[in-house]
Amino acid sequence: MPILNRAAELQAEATEWRHHIHARPELLFAVENTAAFVAGKLKEFGVDEIVTGIGRTGVVGLIKGKGKGRRAIGLRADMDALPLTEITGKPWASTTPGKMHACGHDGHTAMLLGAAKYLAETRNFNGNVAVIFQPAEEGGGGGNLMVQDGMMERFNIEEVYGMHNLPGLSVGQFAIRKGPIMAATDEFTVTIKGRGGHAAQPHRTIDPIAIGAQIVTNLQMIASRSADPLRSVVVSVTKFNAGFAHNVIPNDAQIAGTVRTLDAEVRDLAETRLKQIINGLAAAHGAEADIGFHRNYPVTVNHDTETTHAIAIATDIAGAANVNSEIDPMMGGEDFSYMLNARPGAFIFIGNGDSAGLHNPAYDFNDEIIGHGISYWVRLAEQRLGA
């Protein structure tokens, strides 16, 4: 089954919504204007119940079907932007310096709004559809807060589904896999406490820069020598700050980075080995290390049965040749993982075509895919809540 006729008709209107949101980006939980826009549209569509303030600034709309069923599925989009300065030059470009929709959340919101309008018009399902508009995906854990606020129980959500655009995947194509599809993203910060002194007398110092350099190199041993080579782990040092003068060895150095894994056992191993390596090298040279390790988003794990349903719907819309059901896992993080930990469901990628990459100041969501996204959401709701 190709794109739904009504979804194609809605594409132009949804594109206008997308451009409106794109020009007015908001960060993390401070998405009050975007949330108000979403809530206003849901009211305009005749959505039965609209609840704001879930997960601080999230919005959930409940659309009731024609049948008497109480079972509900959740469809989720994210609303927040990124702290980047846009360089696209598009007519709808960001009007707020230092903020832009560089990950396509404006498009995700527009597609789900289009689906909500369609579903509120037709109601060709038995049960309820909860359309979930989430704040703070980009590092704030808004999905976790919505779950903690009791969203699943309040709306009787039994299954939950998410969708994200993917640059490089052709327009009209989908990609998904069962099991882990995106990584856990943990963060570490380290302060190496040495003893500073004159650069001409290094023997009188405990050089935190030299120790830090060894730490940076040896952290790569976690992936190459500690973890099973068939089980992914990526350790990236992204900050190394030390010193203030050419002729002074400083007292301390700061290192920070991320650890990305695809299963809980390797996640535990990586944290343990990271701390052992840092403490061991610092002690070997007479220094001390203060280590902060923050567990961020968990692994995004697609459930088998729900992924099978998602594949079937994507295949109905795009054809089997345009659905990759075994995409390789990605080492980026996604806080839809919290919702998948709370309820069974699946996370799918929709092709954004040949665009700039995500989190790039030249990126823009491809409006051509909006009809495909609306069709996926509608067909999924109708299939999972059969009349």
Side-chain angles (χ1 to χ4, degrees):
M1 179 178 180
I3 295 173
L4 297 166
N5 290 337
R6 182 63 177 129
E9 292 170 1
L10 285 168
Q11 179 158 328
E13 187 176 12
T15 296
E16 292 180 4
W17 304 333
R18 205 278 289 185
H19 292 177
H20 173 90
I21 297 168
H22 187 95
R24 299 161 179 81
E26 298 175 296
L27 305 182
L28 295 172
F29 291 100
V31 293
E32 289 86 359
N33 292 327
T34 306
F37 178 83
V38 166
K41 288 297 176 186
L42 295 178
K43 182 177 181 181
E44 179 184 313
F45 303 158
V47 169
D48 299 281
E49 183 179 353
I50 303 164
V51 181
T52 60
I54 298 179
R56 291 171 58 178
T57 48
V59 180
V60 178
L62 195 69
I63 306 168
K64 298 180 180 180
K66 292 178 179 178
K68 297 182 179 180
R70 294 188 64 252
R71 179 171 171 268
I73 67 166
L75 312 178
R76 172 270 202 175
D78 33 21
M79 299 186 290
D80 58 320
L82 283 158
L84 294 175
T85 297
E86 184 166 354
I87 62 171
T88 65
K90 297 289 180 66
W92 51 84
S94 170
T95 56
T96 307
K99 299 179 185 179
M100 74 167 288
H101 274 287
C103 202
H105 296 184
D106 53 334
H108 302 164
T109 296
M111 290 190 294
L112 189 54
L113 281 174
K117 183 170 184 176
Y118 185 113
L119 293 167
E121 289 173 352
T122 60
R123 301 180 185 267
N124 188 30
F125 51 92
N126 181 18
N128 300 322
V129 177
V131 286
I132 302 164
F133 297 88
Q134 178 206 305
E137 191 282 323
E138 298 290 357
N144 190 29
L145 264 66
M146 294 188 85
V147 171
Q148 291 178 353
D149 271 359
M151 175 181 69
M152 301 299 183
E153 296 78 13
R154 179 170 183 169
F155 298 100
N156 199 35
I157 295 171
E158 295 186 4
E159 300 172 15
V160 65
Y161 297 87
M163 178 163 52
H164 203 293
N165 77 95
L166 184 61
L169 185 67
S170 297
V171 172
Q173 294 187 344
F174 293 86
I176 194 171
R177 67 175 287 115
K178 295 180 180 180
I181 189 168
M182 297 193 75
T185 56
D186 300 328
E187 301 170 350
F188 63 89
T189 56
V190 183
T191 298
I192 308 300
K193 296 182 178 180
R195 183 172 66 240
H198 201 294
Q201 298 178 317
H203 59 293
R204 298 183 183 277
T205 73
I206 298 175
D207 188 346
I209 296 177
I211 298 167
Q214 293 184 51
I215 288 172
V216 172
T217 300
N218 278 272
L219 287 179
Q220 300 312 309
M221 298 286 282
I222 296 172
S224 67
R225 291 297 179 269
S226 296
D228 183 331
L230 299 180
R231 300 169 73 183
S232 299
V233 55
V234 176
V235 181
S236 296
V237 175
T238 56
K239 296 181 183 180
F240 193 150
N241 300 314
F244 53 89
H246 285 81
N247 60 348
V248 177
I249 292 173
N251 282 317
D252 53 50
Q254 290 78 40
I255 299 170
T258 63
V259 178
R260 300 170 185 272
T261 52
L262 288 170
D263 68 67
E265 186 175 326
V266 175
R267 191 182 196 186
D268 291 341
L269 170 70
E271 179 179 357
T272 298
R273 290 295 294 130
L274 179 140
K275 292 176 179 178
Q276 289 173 339
I277 289 167
I278 293 171
N279 284 323
L281 285 169
H285 295 283
E288 296 180 358
D290 284 345
I291 305 171
F293 194 94
H294 171 65
R295 292 207 168 195
N296 203 357
Y297 298 169
V299 181
T300 304
V301 181
N302 279 341
H303 298 248
D304 286 359
T305 299
E306 288 69 28
T307 303
T308 298
H309 297 318
I311 292 169
I313 296 304
T315 300
D316 284 346
I317 295 165
N322 291 312
V323 180
N324 180 355
S325 60
E326 296 183 357
I327 188 175
D328 290 336
M330 300 182 186
M331 300 309 287
E334 167 60 62
D335 85 339
F336 186 64
S337 53
Y338 292 108
M339 295 190 189
L340 288 177
N341 283 349
R343 292 292 186 274
F347 188 73
I348 196 168
F349 292 105
I350 183 171
N352 200 57
D354 186 19
S355 70
L358 302 175
H359 294 214
N360 185 309
Y363 168 87
D364 191 30
F365 183 87
N366 190 339
D367 294 325
E368 292 181 27
I369 75 175
I370 288 176
H372 297 83
I374 293 174
S375 297
Y376 173 79
W377 283 138
V378 169
R379 293 288 294 134
L380 182 64
E382 291 177 346
Q383 192 269 347
R384 295 308 302 138
L385 297 170

